[in-house]
Amino acid sequence: MSTSHDLRRIALSLQGTIEAPHFDRIAFKARRIYVTLASDGRTANFKFTPEQQEFKCLTHPAAFSPVPNGWGKRGATTAILAELSLTELEDALRLAWTAAAAKPSR
C-alpha cells in the first residue's frame, strides 16, 4: 500500500524533479509534468503513452484506469495509491519520469 508521502519521496528522488502547484493538484515535473497528486492524496494522474497505459490498466485494473476524457485517450492514467505496492508506485513514477525528463528530439 502506497501513500502520497511515498509518491512525493520517490518522485523528488528522481533527477531533475521539482514539485509545484498545478490547479487543485500538486505536479511533479522534470522538464515536463509526469505525475500530479490529488489534493486529498489518494490518487495520482500519470502521464503514460497510450501503450503504457493499456499495459498498466490490463495488469493492475484495481489500481490504474484511464482519465475519463481526451487526456485519457492520450495516456493520462489515474492510479489509486492504496492499491499500489511501493515497487509498483516506483515503477510507474520511473516510467512516466523517463519520457518527461528526456530532451526533446529535433
Side-chain angles (χ1 to χ4, degrees):
M1 181 172 137
S2 296
T3 68
S4 61
H5 298 290
D6 296 323
L7 183 141
R8 178 174 278 113
R9 177 181 50 78
I10 296 167
L12 291 174
S13 75
L14 299 173
Q15 184 176 2
T17 296
I18 61 169
E19 180 179 343
H22 184 71
F23 300 98
D24 63 338
R25 304 176 73 83
I26 299 293
F28 296 88
K29 59 185 178 177
R31 292 193 185 264
R32 292 182 303 274
I33 293 172
Y34 63 93
V35 65
T36 61
L37 178 63
S39 59
D40 67 6
R42 295 180 182 176
T43 63
N45 289 344
F46 289 85
K47 185 173 188 233
F48 294 141
T49 65
E51 296 79 18
Q52 292 166 335
Q53 177 192 68
E54 181 179 16
F55 179 77
K56 291 291 187 186
C57 292
L58 284 172
T59 58
H60 202 337
F64 294 103
S65 62
V67 170
N69 59 31
W71 288 101
K73 293 178 181 171
R74 290 178 279 189
T77 307
T78 298
I80 300 168
L81 296 177
E83 293 289 332
L84 296 174
S85 69
L86 286 176
T87 301
E88 291 165 331
L89 175 61
E90 184 170 0
D91 177 67
L93 285 166
R94 286 188 180 281
L95 188 63
W97 170 83
T98 299
K103 289 186 179 184
S105 59
R106 293 184 178 207

